[in-house]
Amino acid sequence: MFAQKLIVPAFAVIGAVAAQTTNSVCSQATATINSQADATAFASCSTISGSVVVSSAASGVISIDGPQQITGDLTCENAGGLTSFGSTSIGSIGGTFTLNNLTLLSTLSMSDLTSVKTIAWTALPALSSLTFPSTVSKATSVTISNTFLSTLDGINLDTVATLQIDNNNRLKTFSTQVSNVTSAVNINSNGNSLDVSFPNLIWAANMTLRNVSSITIPSLATINGSLGFYGNYMTNIAAPNLTSVGSTATGAGSLAFVANGKLANISMPLLKTVGGADQIANNTALTGISFPALTTVGGAIDFSGNFSTPELPALTNVKGGFNVQSTAQIDCSGFQSEAGSGKVIQGTFICKTTADATTLGSSTTSGSSSTATSTKGAAVSYGVNEGLMGLSVIGGLLQMLL
C-alpha cells in the first residue's frame, strides 16, 4: 500500500517533466536544427510557437515531421551539404520561408503546406522541381530567384502583394490563379521560352515583364501603377479587357513596350486612360499602332520605330508632349492640327518620318510627311519607372521638351 502511494506521485512527476520538456521544445523563440535528430525532437509538437533555423552544419536529409504549423519563420541558409528538405505535416508558416544558397538541395517536399506569409528562395542551383501536392494558395510576398526550377507547380496563389520571379534559367511555364496583386509583379530574366499565364488577374498595382515568350492576361482590367513589357520574345500582346493604366489625376503610371524584337501586334481595344507615359520604342517587327478607345494620356505619347501612321481616333486630352518618329512614311497633319494651347496635345509636338527613328533627334520643330489621311493623334510622362532604364537619350530629350 505504501509502495503504491509512492509509485503514483513518481509517475506524476515523470509526466510533468515530460510535458515541461515538450512544451520547451515547441515554444522556443528560435529553435536550431543541426541534424535529423534535432528535427525529430519536434515530432510531438502540433505547433512550433517561434521560429526554426536549419543551420549551415545540416547535411543530407532533414524532415520536420509532426508539427502542423510554425508561427514564426522557417530559415535554411548556407547549408552546403543539405540534399533534401521538407515536412509531411506542416500546413502553415506564419513568417518567412527562407531558402538561400543551398548548392546541393535537389528535393523540396512539403506535403501539407498551403499558407506562408512570405516565400524567399534564392540561389538553389540543384532544385529542379517542387513537391507541394496540397499547393500553396496563400502568401503575401513571393520571391523565387536563381534556381534550377523548370516549373512552379505547387504554388498557385489567390492574392499576393509582391510576386518576383527572376533569373530561373530553366523555367518554362508559370501560371497562377491570382486575381489581385496589391504591390508588384516582376518577371525578369528567366528562360527564353517562358510562357506566363494570369487567367484570373483582374487588377494589379504594377506589372513588369522581361524576357518572356508569351503572356496571357485575358481578365486584366486595371493597372493602378505602371505596365511594362521590355525585351520580350512574344509576337502578340493582348489585353482585351484592360481599360486603365495609372492615374490621370496624379500623372502616375506608365504603359511601355520597349525592345520586344518579335512583337508584331498590340491589342488593347478597351484601353481608355494612361496616367503617365504611353511609350512604344524599338519594337522592330511592329508595323502598326492602334489604341481605338484611348481618350486621355496624363503624361506624353512617345512612339518610335518602323510603323505606319498611328491610329488614335478617340483621343481628347494629352497633358504632356507628343513625340512620334517612324522610319516608315507617316502623315502628321491630323496630329499637328490637335497641337497647341487649349487643344488635345498640350505639350511640345514632334511628328516626322526619319531615316532612323530608333535614335531620336534633338529638334523641337514640328515635322510631317505627305502620305495618306492621318488618324487623330496622341502623347511620355516623365517619372516613368523601370521602363525608361536603358533609354536615357529618350528620357533626356523629353525632359527638355516638356
Side-chain angles (χ1 to χ4, degrees):
M1 189 67 174
F2 178 73
Q4 288 179 340
K5 289 181 180 179
L6 290 177
I7 291 172
V8 172
F11 276 117
V13 170
I14 293 171
V17 171
Q20 184 177 8
T21 301
T22 299
N23 184 62
S24 176
V25 168
C26 301
S27 60
Q28 303 173 68
T30 300
T32 300
I33 294 176
N34 296 299
S35 65
Q36 181 57 46
D38 292 337
T40 302
F42 296 104
S44 60
C45 303
S46 61
T47 297
I48 298 177
S49 300
S51 295
V52 176
V53 174
V54 179
S55 78
S56 59
S59 63
V61 177
I62 298 292
S63 186
I64 306 172
D65 303 324
Q68 297 172 17
Q69 64 175 322
I70 297 174
T71 62
D73 303 329
L74 176 57
T75 304
C76 183
E77 297 184 286
N78 304 315
L82 188 67
T83 58
S84 177
F85 180 62
S87 172
T88 60
S89 60
I90 296 173
S92 67
I93 299 171
T96 300
F97 184 9
T98 299
L99 301 174
N100 177 46
N101 193 28
L102 306 174
T103 55
L104 296 183
L105 183 70
S106 59
T107 301
L108 180 60
S109 178
M110 306 289 287
S111 302
D112 289 350
L113 190 65
T114 60
S115 176
V116 181
K117 182 179 181 181
T118 301
I119 289 176
W121 299 343
T122 57
L124 307 175
L127 185 65
S128 60
S129 64
L130 306 174
T131 306
F132 285 20
S134 295
T135 304
V136 176
S137 59
K138 295 181 180 180
T140 300
S141 175
V142 174
T143 298
I144 300 175
S145 178
N146 192 18
T147 75
F148 200 56
L149 291 166
S150 60
T151 176
L152 296 181
D153 290 349
I155 299 176
N156 196 359
L157 307 172
D158 296 323
T159 62
V160 69
T162 302
L163 182 61
Q164 173 91 19
I165 310 293
D166 67 281
N167 294 292
N168 304 285
N169 293 329
R170 292 187 70 250
L171 194 62
K172 303 296 184 185
T173 62
F174 176 64
S175 179
T176 177
Q177 67 184 4
V178 65
S179 59
N180 300 314
V181 178
T182 59
S183 181
V185 173
N186 189 355
I187 298 178
N188 177 30
S189 301
N190 297 288
N192 291 349
S193 57
L194 176 60
D195 296 322
V196 176
S197 179
F198 291 87
N200 300 323
L201 184 64
I202 297 172
W203 71 269
N206 295 280
M207 195 168 184
T208 302
L209 291 98
R210 301 176 189 268
N211 312 116
V212 170
S213 64
S214 71
I215 177 66
T216 303
I217 43 176
S219 303
L220 184 63
T222 303
I223 295 289
N224 290 346
S226 294
L227 174 61
F229 302 88
Y230 309 101
N232 295 293
Y233 309 105
M234 71 273 286
T235 58
N236 177 62
I237 295 174
N241 288 297
L242 183 64
T243 60
S244 66
V245 175
S247 168
T248 56
T250 62
S254 64
L255 175 62
F257 307 85
V258 178
N260 303 287
K262 296 182 179 180
L263 182 63
N265 181 57
I266 299 171
S267 178
M268 296 181 173
L270 302 183
L271 181 64
K272 293 181 179 180
T273 62
V274 176
D278 187 0
Q279 181 187 28
I280 298 175
N282 300 337
N283 305 287
T284 54
L286 188 66
T287 58
I289 297 173
S290 177
F291 293 101
L294 186 64
T295 62
T296 304
V297 177
I301 284 179
D302 178 32
F303 298 161
S304 66
N306 181 30
F307 47 79
S308 57
T309 305
E311 297 179 8
L312 304 162
L315 201 65
T316 59
N317 188 8
V318 179
K319 296 181 181 180
F322 182 89
N323 183 29
V324 173
Q325 302 188 40
S326 177
T327 55
Q329 287 291 314
I330 57 174
D331 181 3
C332 295
S333 59
F335 300 121
Q336 191 166 16
S337 68
E338 300 289 357
S341 178
K343 295 184 179 181
V344 170
I345 301 169
Q346 300 175 34
T348 301
F349 178 82
I350 298 176
C351 183
K352 61 184 178 180
T353 298
T354 67
D356 182 7
T358 60
T359 301
L360 300 185
S362 59
S363 172
T364 59
T365 59
S366 301
S368 65
S369 63
S370 56
T371 53
T373 304
S374 74
T375 54
K376 195 174 181 181
V380 158
S381 78
Y382 309 105
V384 178
N385 52 16
E386 62 276 300
L388 292 181
M389 291 192 303
L391 295 172
S392 58
V393 174
I394 297 174
L397 172 64
L398 293 174
Q399 288 174 351
M400 290 188 293
L401 296 177
L402 298 181

